[in-house]
Amino acid sequence: MSYAPPVKKDVDAVAEDEVVHRIRITLTSRNVANLEKVCDVLKKSALDQELHVSGPVRMPTKKLKICTRKAPSGEGTNTWDRFEMRIHKRIIDLHAPSKAVKSITSISIEPGVEIDVTINDR
């Protein structure tokens, strides 16, 4: 009798498609309306594919302030200009395979919104 080892099938290729990843989508913008619009579209597209979605979680707003003198020469009355830039941030967590993420993130993005996608394995 001769021993024939079992033939290995390409199980890894099938398993990779079925692996569910934890995906964190971080959205930042200076314009709240555009940011909320993108968050709504992302969440609706994820729920249409019946994925587990949590968020958008609203993170604290960063306020960048600059105070500067109005007079360039430094002479005259001490008058100041105060400028402020607010940066808003939202976080959306998904539990989905990587193919679903590609279809979700292929949406049109509003101008001024930055998206960062982080994928973690369980």
Side-chain angles (χ1 to χ4, degrees), residues 6-63:
V7 177
K8 289 188 177 182
K9 294 181 181 177
D10 195 11
V11 177
D12 294 335
V14 175
E16 287 181 13
D17 294 340
E18 300 301 322
V19 173
V20 176
H21 300 286
R22 291 185 306 176
I23 296 134
R24 175 162 284 182
I25 301 172
T26 306
L27 303 143
T28 56
S29 178
R30 291 182 292 166
N31 189 346
V32 181
N34 289 349
L35 184 65
E36 290 294 331
K37 192 180 295 183
V38 172
C39 286
D40 290 341
V41 171
L42 278 174
K43 189 165 183 173
K44 283 180 185 177
S45 64
L47 291 176
D48 288 343
Q49 295 183 10
E50 299 177 358
L51 300 176
H52 176 72
V53 181
S54 62
V57 177
R58 290 157 179 84
M59 301 304 288
T61 303
K62 290 183 183 177
K63 296 179 182 177

